[in-house]
Amino acid sequence: MKGFRFTKFVPQKDPDKNSFEQLLDIFLQLITMTGGDVAEALSWLTNLDKRYNMTKPGYGIGDFIEDLKSKGYLDEKQGKGELKITGKSEQTIRKSALEEIFGKLKKGKGGQHKTTHTGPGEERGSDRRPFQFGDNLDQIALTDSLRNAQANHGFSGDYLLTEDDLEVVESEMRTQTSTVLMIDISHSMILYGEDRITPAKKVAMALAELIKTRYPKDTLDIIVFGNDAWQIEIKDLPYLQVGPYHTNTVAGLELAMDLLRRRKNPNKQIFMITDGKPTCMKVGIKYYKNSFGIDSKILKETLKLAAQCRKLKIPVTTFMIASDPYLKEFVKEFTTVNNGNAYYSNLKGLGHLIFEDYRRNRTKRF
């Protein structure tokens, strides 16, 4: 009989992980979702355990909490009984996000990305060229140079190796990239029954950990924007929450441009994760707001900044995690003015798209 049979899915436990490690994975996910609220995360974990029997008779949630403290994941304020995650937890969350989102990168080669240009660098390429004054001796292609000497001077008499016989291996020039990641924290990021801020945070943490471990010479600045825009530290990402804000894209772009002006790297780029149109801007000391459709005044100022970014050779890649037709029109116009890129992504594919664009932009000059 043809058809489908649906049964309850019970995920298999990793046999290489003990009870603490398995609970830790879930706890760190909950910490990210609750914005760093340990009490709320532990409450959710207790309810999940009650429903799905995740713990064993000899090891309960209370034992897990004590292990979190003893292993340095939680810090309890003396006299107050308040639990906070530690720097160790924050780093573990970033590593977990990196593994979850960019896990397939493990099979790739380590080290920094290369460009399509040749020049001074640490990575030996495949191109050969004649020796020039000033080339390092370790660049000389010995086998090719000896072959040239034999072809040019033969085997008779004294063996000659002249400067004209020498070939060098061209090294591939390394490049550095300065990236600003803008994250929308307006109220719509948690509306309509969909949590969009948690995947955005995970992507930011994964990208931050990727850059810190694989591309340490690159820089990453993270900006959040609601009614205003402000810079946050990487360690603050697990605590990031959505506020009762509108979407001030103008303020976010202004701050991003200001940060990139201070960077001396040749390649600069902005990644913007948002789910809506710009609905707010500051005029003097007051906020000008309009959430109903695309406001021409706000749109004009936003496109003005897009043009400025293009003039400064700063491409803006927009990751729109919404698919309303009028939003697509805004993104299309914004992208055309900036000459950047745009993606209409679901939350599941967001991390992959951001990494691919980051890698692509590191292999070209803007």
Side-chain angles (χ1 to χ4, degrees):
M1 179 179 178
K2 293 183 179 181
F4 298 96
R5 177 178 294 178
F6 295 94
T7 60
K8 182 178 179 180
F9 173 69
V10 180
Q12 294 182 350
K13 294 183 178 180
D14 189 341
D16 296 329
K17 291 185 177 181
N18 57 34
S19 297
F20 173 79
E21 292 172 335
Q22 290 173 351
L23 289 174
L24 180 63
D25 290 342
I26 301 172
F27 174 71
L28 294 178
Q29 294 278 355
L30 295 176
I31 280 290
T32 305
M33 295 174 67
T34 61
D37 191 327
V38 175
E40 186 176 1
L42 288 174
S43 177
W44 287 8
L45 184 63
T46 303
N47 289 331
L48 287 172
D49 178 44
K50 183 179 178 181
R51 185 171 182 179
Y52 296 106
N53 299 316
M54 297 185 299
T55 59
K56 300 176 182 178
Y59 190 87
I61 298 298
D63 298 311
F64 173 67
I65 295 172
E66 291 302 316
D67 281 347
L68 286 174
K69 296 177 187 177
S70 63
K71 293 178 185 293
Y73 291 97
L74 289 183
D75 181 39
E76 186 173 9
K77 290 188 176 181
Q78 295 295 332
K80 294 185 178 180
E82 184 179 354
L83 293 172
K84 295 287 184 181
I85 62 173
T86 62
K88 181 178 180 179
S89 291
E90 294 165 358
Q91 185 179 24
T92 305
I93 291 171
R94 292 197 301 269
K95 288 183 177 179
S96 177
L98 175 62
E99 188 173 329
E100 176 184 341
I101 294 172
F102 300 147
K104 294 181 180 179
L105 300 180
K106 290 179 179 178
K107 296 181 180 179
K109 293 182 179 180
Q112 300 177 8
H113 286 297
K114 302 173 289 186
T115 67
T116 55
H117 308 282
T118 57
E122 303 171 10
E123 191 77 21
R124 291 171 67 86
S126 58
D127 295 336
R128 303 288 191 272
R129 63 170 174 78
F131 177 85
Q132 297 175 353
F133 178 77
D135 287 333
N136 294 326
L137 293 179
D138 59 0
Q139 285 183 264
I140 294 176
L142 185 59
T143 303
D144 296 317
S145 299
L146 292 175
R147 184 179 63 244
N148 294 337
Q150 292 172 359
N152 295 333
H153 310 295
F155 294 96
S156 61
D158 295 332
Y159 186 81
L160 292 178
L161 179 67
T162 67
E163 182 179 334
D164 292 335
D165 301 323
L166 297 178
E167 286 189 18
V168 298
V169 181
E170 189 72 276
S171 58
E172 296 178 345
M173 184 179 67
R174 298 281 181 86
T175 187
Q176 299 176 10
T177 302
S178 290
T179 303
V180 172
L181 178 61
M182 295 172 51
I183 303 176
D184 185 351
I185 58 168
S186 62
H187 190 53
S188 61
M189 291 288 278
I190 56 170
L191 283 180
Y192 316 115
E194 187 172 41
D195 175 14
R196 296 168 176 172
I197 190 63
T198 298
K201 287 195 294 183
K202 284 186 178 181
V203 167
M205 289 188 287
L207 186 61
E209 194 65 18
L210 179 75
I211 290 175
K212 286 181 65 178
T213 55
R214 292 206 177 185
Y215 315 114
K217 292 184 179 180
D218 284 10
T219 64
L220 174 67
D221 295 295
I222 300 173
I223 291 174
V224 294
F225 62 104
N227 288 351
D228 295 289
W230 60 94
Q231 187 178 7
I232 64 172
E233 300 292 331
I234 292 173
K235 64 180 181 63
D236 298 327
L237 281 169
Y239 311 100
L240 188 61
Q241 293 182 328
V242 168
Y245 306 125
H246 288 71
T247 307
N248 192 342
T249 310
V250 171
L253 291 171
E254 287 176 339
L255 180 55
M257 292 169 63
D258 185 51
L259 290 171
L260 289 174
R261 284 190 189 99
R262 306 174 196 172
R263 301 298 186 184
K264 304 304 180 184
N265 291 345
N267 288 354
K268 301 176 181 182
Q269 61 186 349
I270 297 173
F271 289 161
M272 179 168 63
I273 303 175
T274 184
D275 71 336
K277 60 191 181 296
T279 60
C280 174
M281 59 182 284
K282 210 165 186 179
V283 180
I285 61 173
K286 294 184 178 180
Y287 292 99
Y288 176 84
K289 304 175 183 177
N290 182 4
S291 300
F292 304 97
I294 303 290
D295 187 284
S296 59
K297 184 175 181 178
I298 300 175
L299 178 63
K300 181 180 179 180
E301 192 64 26
T302 306
L303 295 179
K304 178 181 175 182
L305 290 174
Q308 288 182 19
C309 286
R310 180 174 182 173
K311 188 176 181 181
L312 295 171
K313 297 183 178 179
I314 302 175
V316 181
T317 304
T318 305
F319 298 91
M320 178 62 72
I321 47 180
S323 56
D324 298 16
Y326 74 101
L327 290 179
K328 287 186 176 182
E329 286 299 318
F330 156 70
V331 173
K332 182 179 179 181
E333 187 173 3
F334 179 88
T335 304
T336 301
V337 172
N338 174 255
N339 196 29
N341 295 308
Y343 299 96
Y344 306 95
S345 168
N346 58 32
L347 296 172
K348 187 176 180 181
L350 183 61
H352 175 73
L353 286 174
I354 285 185
F355 169 71
E356 287 300 326
D357 210 70
Y358 172 76
R359 184 170 60 179
R360 186 184 305 112
N361 288 345
R362 293 194 87 259
T363 58
K364 66 181 180 181
R365 290 181 175 179
F366 300 133

